[in-house]
Amino acid sequence: MADRRLRAFKRWMKWQSIECSDALQLTDSPDQGIAVRARCDLKEGDAVATIPKTACLTIKTTGAQEMIEAAGLEGCLGLSVALMFERSLGQVSPWAGYLQLLPPQEPIPLTWTSREVDLLLRGTELHKAVKEDKALIREDWKECILPLLDSFSELNPGFFGVNQYLAARSLIASRSFEIDDYHGFGMVPLADLFNHKTAAEDVHFTSLSSHSESDNDDVDDDQLTNVFDEKALVTSPSGNNSESNNEVDHPPPLPDDFTVLGMIMVKDVRGGNEVFNTYGSLGNAALLYRYGFTEENNPYDIVNIDLELVLQWSSSSFSNRHTRARVALWRRLGYSGCESQDSEYFEISFNGEPQLELLILLYIILLPEDAHRVLDLAVPTKGSYSSGKILPHSDTCVGQIASEMSRDLVLTESVCNALLSLAYVRESLYGMNTIEDDVEALRRCCCNRERKLYHSLMLRVSERRILGKLRSYASFRGVSFECAKASERKKLKRK
């Protein structure tokens, strides 16, 4: 069955004038999915595939173009309709040979059931985001897709339901590329078969940036734009078996043709090895959300601590009035957290180091009342004090917060204790299981048979390890602070 799918796809590629080097081998495994391997040694600079833009599925190439543009649909909405429309045509669709190779949907959290989201993602970065985004996507379907069924009677409702829309969105999220200014982004056959490896890509997807298909007279080689980080695919790396053939011819270099996309090697790859693309420098939360998988020991992992969590912690120790006043001062000094939709948060890096803006907020919340009063009077209105400045006060002479020493200066003993409290509160969101329980569950879990459980556990473990590093960071700094104070006291006694 797998070989039949690949043979049909290869026949379709030939019909669409897609050139795939004989040096590449497409493999399809029930457990690992589709992967691309090198039949022979590949060299940096080799062009291994050329793909006409007319072979890509976009709003401009689909048979539903007029309907989509008449409805004013763009972006993911428009491309989702194009994908659902072509699927509804079955074998009549010009992309039938390509679409039969795609799964019904990708296993990203947006396609999980509500119970799976609550059970598997509890406490993680994704839990709230997935629930909110699923609700928004359902609203999009109700407001934009459902009316199409009333306006165009020829559409088959069985291909345009909310579940079909979620499935289309999952494929677009995990497989689409930016093509050019005219087409926007779309599905790029063959290019979306290369699996991901963080910071270790072997091949780049290249495109021409042009305002329309008619401006080719002004396009030159310098306009080739590398958009490999827009690449998307969800299946994980394949197995080890591969044929080897050192006499396979490579395709010619990419033509100077703005109508063609290409895949170019950026690294030497030995024959028999898998050829990887990369989707960017993404942590496990982003990888799972967009592509449906995670990576062990991902150096780009982070954990977020919501501003709301900080405010709850502050209000448990101080009055609500105290908390509101200190946050207002922090904002008037020009600070804020990271923002995403309706939430504001602070990042904890892979090594457990907290975002500077969080440290400054904690420092201001914990200021003695007299020091806060002096500073509050010095910053009477929003914007009247330059961002990154704070006045000295009696106990700690703090100059420019944004200077290189600012992190050490605001890491007082009380701020370190606050970080420890926040780490434990954030940890409690995962429920009663300990990190040791999650590590053991991950060890027993089979990635192929229990994909959702495996990758959700990987995300939980990676996040909880970062929180452990945050506790170590705060404890070490707190001990250092105590040692410094003890040393200072000894000096004073000698005097």
Side-chain angles (χ1 to χ4, degrees), residues 427-428 430-442 457 460-461 464-465 471:
E427 177 83 21
S428 70
Y430 297 104
M432 298 299 294
N433 282 4
T434 65
I435 184 173
E436 290 76 19
D437 294 331
D438 284 343
V439 169
E440 176 60 22
L442 180 62
L457 282 170
R460 284 165 61 92
V461 169
R464 297 181 86 163
R465 282 175 174 163
R471 291 194 293 272

Side-chain angles (χ1 to χ4, degrees), residues 26 59 75 100 107 132 142 196 211 274 316 334 396 488:
L26 306 184
I59 292 174
Q100 57 87 33
E132 290 177 346
K142 185 176 180 180
H196 162 86
H211 291 293
E274 184 170 358
S316 69
T396 311
E488 190 63 28

Side-chain angles (χ1 to χ4, degrees), residues 61-353:
T61 60
T62 178
Q65 177 187 358
E66 290 186 8
M67 177 181 68
I68 293 170
E69 293 181 344
L73 302 182
E74 299 176 338
C76 286
L77 264 169
L79 187 55
S80 295
V81 173
L83 182 54
M84 290 186 291
F85 177 80
E86 296 301 334
R87 279 184 151 179
S88 74
L89 298 180
Q91 292 302 311
V92 178
S93 170
W95 285 273
Y98 165 62
L99 296 177
Q100 57 87 33
L101 200 62
L102 302 183
Q105 63 185 28
E106 297 290 6
I108 65 175
L110 281 176
T111 64
W112 298 4
T113 66
S114 297
R115 184 177 181 276
E116 288 173 332
V117 170
D118 288 335
L119 181 66
L120 300 178
L121 298 180
R122 178 182 176 183
T124 69
E125 298 300 302
L126 296 187
H127 190 200
K128 181 180 177 183
V130 169
K131 296 186 76 169
E132 290 177 346
D133 288 349
K134 284 190 74 166
L136 290 172
I137 287 175
R138 288 178 182 276
E139 283 298 313
D140 284 344
W141 174 82
K142 185 176 180 180
E143 294 177 6
C144 303
I145 309 297
L146 194 54
L148 292 178
L149 297 176
D150 296 329
S151 302
F152 299 91
S153 58
E154 65 271 23
L155 296 180
N156 185 340
F159 288 89
F160 290 86
V162 65
N163 290 332
Q164 287 71 32
Y165 177 53
L166 276 167
R169 286 291 296 260
S170 75
L171 291 166
I172 290 166
S174 61
R175 291 176 177 265
S176 60
F177 289 80
E178 184 69 28
I179 296 175
D180 59 24
D181 294 344
Y182 175 77
H183 287 93
F185 66 99
M187 311 295 285
V188 183
L190 181 62
D192 63 2
L193 302 185
F194 291 84
N195 287 324
H196 162 86
K197 198 169 187 179
T198 296
E201 85 272 29
D202 304 312
V203 66
H204 277 342
F205 170 73
T206 60
S207 174
L208 287 171
S209 179
S210 59
H211 291 293
S212 72
E213 294 286 14
S214 60
D215 348 18
N216 56 337
D217 291 338
D218 299 323
V219 177
D220 57 33
D221 292 340
D222 293 334
Q223 288 177 291
L224 268 174
T225 304
N226 178 9
V227 291
F228 68 92
D229 56 339
E230 296 293 336
K231 195 265 177 210
L233 174 68
V234 80
T235 49
S236 25
S238 185
N240 301 320
N241 297 328
S242 175
E243 299 175 10
S244 178
N245 181 0
N246 293 322
E247 298 180 358
V248 175
D249 291 332
H250 294 210
L254 286 175
D256 297 330
D257 185 350
F258 85 108
T259 66
V260 173
L261 307 170
M263 303 294 293
I264 299 178
M265 300 300 299
V266 294
K267 189 189 299 180
D268 293 352
V269 174
R270 296 290 300 274
N273 291 340
E274 184 170 358
V275 182
F276 290 101
N277 196 352
T278 189
Y279 314 158
S281 303
L282 302 174
N284 277 337
L287 285 175
L288 182 56
Y289 180 84
R290 300 182 194 179
Y291 310 115
F293 67 88
T294 58
E295 289 186 320
E296 191 172 4
N297 298 318
N298 187 334
Y300 299 100
D301 269 339
I302 59 171
V303 169
N304 296 335
I305 293 181
D306 287 346
L307 174 61
E308 188 62 33
L309 200 68
V310 179
L311 300 183
Q312 291 174 11
W313 163 83
S314 178
S315 296
S316 69
S317 302
F318 306 99
S319 68
N320 289 335
R321 181 179 180 182
H322 174 104
T323 299
R324 288 195 303 268
R326 301 307 175 96
V327 173
L329 174 58
W330 176 71
R331 292 202 185 281
R332 281 171 20 229
L333 285 165
Y335 293 105
S336 64
C338 303
E339 295 184 359
S340 175
Q341 294 182 3
D342 297 328
S343 66
E344 191 170 355
Y345 61 91
F346 305 97
E347 292 183 352
I348 311 300
S349 69
F350 179 75
N351 62 7
E353 189 170 285

